[in-house]
């Protein structure tokens, strides 16, 4: 199976102070309601921004409009050039209301061609679920893992999955916590999309670089869970081991060193592109990674690589 890869800023403080305590069963069931509401708002903003990107692709057919950067690469619809400008624009989208999206998108169109804002209309051929359905989609996995944690505390071995099947409570919690957390975090601070075996630790393993990339195990994503459930076995990946998994992680303090390492080793990392006979494609990957890191740096976040958080072929995008 192929890999739908993504590169994610990780709000580590949110992991430690709110999300993993919730999964552990602390507080009340409504403690994440504000975050879920924010995820719904951003989904609505994302839908409108993506509609502008799709409209631009139609008007720009036959030009050098880069769909794999503007539509299936960066979050929302961003055409800025520098990583810092890209990061600042993405952050503006994350804080915008739906009614503010059109002005933001037109600004991005004008960066490509000052005539585009007068020629492009948003492509609204798709449909967005209701706010209620979006909210359910964002939180049901978190609620399920919270139920699993409650069962483990009570000594119950099994819980019911969303489809009614009986599953092991402990396995559900330890086997899914990191993926579910990154998936939810991506609804609040989005990642970048790519395709294939091009995540940072995979490239680093295959290239002759000036040392190891400042990425390590992702146990930090577990937050308070290991301390709350010390008898459970918690795994930590340093790279993406399989589909639907979280790979290497860089703490907030390692984001700038990771950006510097990528810049120093851009050529040997791009040379790994010979596996696909396309160094230019890997250079685009490195650009996306650096832009995600720029957003992490701007927001004081960490960074993680992941597989199948987004599934563009199924309409799940950033």
């Amino acid at each position: 199976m192929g890999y739908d890869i993504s590169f994610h800023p990780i709000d580590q403080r949110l992991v430690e102070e709110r999300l993993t305590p919730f999964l552990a069963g602390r507080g009340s069931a409504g403690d994440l309601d504000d975050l879920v509401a924010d995820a719904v708002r951003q989904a609505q903003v994302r839908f409108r921004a993506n509609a502008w990107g799709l409209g631009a692709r139609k008007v720009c057919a036959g030009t050098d409009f880069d769909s794999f950067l503007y539509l299936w690469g960066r979050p929302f619809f961003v055409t800025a050039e520098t990583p810092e400008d890209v990061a600042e624009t993405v952050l503006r989208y994350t804080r915008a209301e739906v009614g503010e999206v059109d002005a933001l998108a037109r600004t991005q169109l004008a960066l490509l061609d000052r005539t585009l804002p007068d020629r492009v209309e948003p492509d609204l051929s798709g449909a967005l679920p209701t706010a209620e359905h979006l909210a359910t989609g964002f939180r049901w996995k978190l609620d399920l893992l919270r139920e699993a944690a409650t069962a483990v505390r009570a000594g119950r071995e099994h819980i019911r999955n969303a489809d009614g099947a009986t599953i092991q409570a402990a396995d559900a919690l330890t086997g899914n916590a990191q993926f579910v957390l990154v998936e939810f975090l991506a609804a609040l601070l989005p990642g970048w999309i790519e395709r294939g075996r091009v995540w940072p630790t995979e490239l680093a393993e295959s290239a002759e670089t000036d040392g190891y990339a400042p990425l390590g195990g992702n146990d930090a994503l577990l937050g308070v869970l290991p301390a709350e459930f010390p008898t459970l076995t918690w795994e930590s990946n340093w790279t993406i081991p399989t589909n639907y998994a979280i790979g290497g992680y860089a703490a907030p303090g390692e984001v700038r060193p990771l950006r510097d390492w990528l810049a120093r080793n851009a050529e040997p990392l791009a040379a790994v592109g010979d596996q696909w006979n396309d160094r230019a494609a890997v250079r685009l990957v490195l650009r996306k990674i650096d832009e995600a890191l720029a957003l992490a740096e701007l927001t004081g976040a960490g960074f993680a690589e992941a597989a199948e958080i987004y599934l563009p072929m199924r309409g799940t995008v950033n």
Side-chain angles (χ1 to χ4, degrees):
M1 181 176 177
Y3 286 88
D4 286 305
I5 300 303
S6 47
F7 315 122
H8 295 271
I10 297 293
D11 188 337
Q12 188 60 33
R13 196 163 87 170
L14 203 59
V15 169
E16 295 171 359
E17 296 181 1
R18 297 196 62 185
L19 296 182
T20 56
F22 178 84
L23 293 188
R26 295 184 191 173
S28 69
D31 283 353
L32 301 186
D33 286 354
D34 61 323
L35 298 180
V36 172
D38 191 45
V40 169
R41 175 189 58 80
Q42 287 201 46
Q44 294 164 339
V45 166
R46 185 177 302 111
F47 180 79
R48 184 72 183 180
N50 287 341
W52 278 100
L54 292 170
R57 184 178 66 152
K58 288 182 178 178
V59 171
C60 296
T63 72
D64 58 357
F65 183 86
D66 192 344
S67 297
F68 290 99
L69 185 61
Y70 304 141
L71 293 179
W72 303 294
R74 293 169 175 169
F76 302 108
F77 174 58
V78 181
T79 68
E81 279 297 313
T82 70
E84 285 68 30
D85 286 344
V86 170
E88 288 175 4
T89 305
V90 170
L91 194 59
R92 288 181 66 192
Y93 274 115
T94 67
R95 296 171 175 174
E97 299 296 332
V98 175
E100 299 171 312
V101 172
D102 291 1
L104 265 172
R106 287 192 178 100
T107 299
Q108 297 306 300
L109 287 169
L111 292 177
L112 290 178
D113 180 337
R114 60 189 177 86
T115 71
L116 282 178
D118 294 326
R119 296 191 288 129
V120 173
E121 293 293 333
D123 180 350
L124 299 173
S125 56
L128 190 68
T130 65
E132 182 180 3
H133 278 88
L134 287 169
T136 299
F138 285 127
R139 73 170 303 144
W140 74 267
K141 293 179 186 176
L142 295 168
D143 290 336
L144 183 67
L145 294 194
R146 180 178 170 91
E147 182 184 350
T150 300
V152 170
R153 285 193 193 281
R156 291 188 285 114
E157 290 189 13
H158 300 94
I159 60 170
R160 295 281 185 181
N161 200 347
D163 62 5
T166 299
I167 59 173
Q168 292 278 346
D171 291 348
L173 184 59
T174 61
N176 296 283
Q178 288 148 314
F179 188 88
V180 169
L181 284 167
V182 173
E183 188 175 47
F184 184 70
L185 288 168
L188 305 173
L189 193 62
W192 272 241
I193 290 174
E194 193 44 71
R195 177 76 176 164
R197 301 186 67 90
V198 288
W199 51 95
T201 53
E202 173 77 6
L203 294 175
E205 280 290 293
S206 304
E208 294 183 6
T209 63
D210 66 358
Y212 291 106
L215 283 157
N218 58 29
D219 51 297
L221 293 172
L222 295 170
V224 304
L225 291 172
E228 292 277 345
F229 300 95
T231 63
L232 299 183
T233 300
W234 300 91
E235 295 183 2
S236 172
N237 296 322
W238 65 269
T239 190
I240 295 173
T242 184
N243 294 102
Y244 295 91
I246 309 303
Y249 171 84
E254 293 296 324
V255 166
R256 169 47 62 174
L258 181 53
R259 291 192 73 189
D260 292 342
W261 182 87
L262 285 167
R264 290 196 313 271
N265 293 282
E267 284 309 306
L269 290 167
V272 180
D274 284 352
Q275 297 178 47
W276 304 276
N277 297 314
D278 194 350
R279 292 191 183 201
V282 182
R283 288 191 180 95
L284 180 59
V285 171
L286 296 176
R287 180 178 185 177
K288 292 178 182 179
I289 296 169
D290 189 53
E291 290 173 355
L293 286 164
L295 180 57
E297 191 169 28
L298 178 64
T299 57
F303 172 85
E305 56 190 19
E308 280 71 53
I309 294 292
Y310 302 118
L311 297 167
M313 294 297 290
R314 300 182 190 176
T316 307
V317 294
N318 55 348

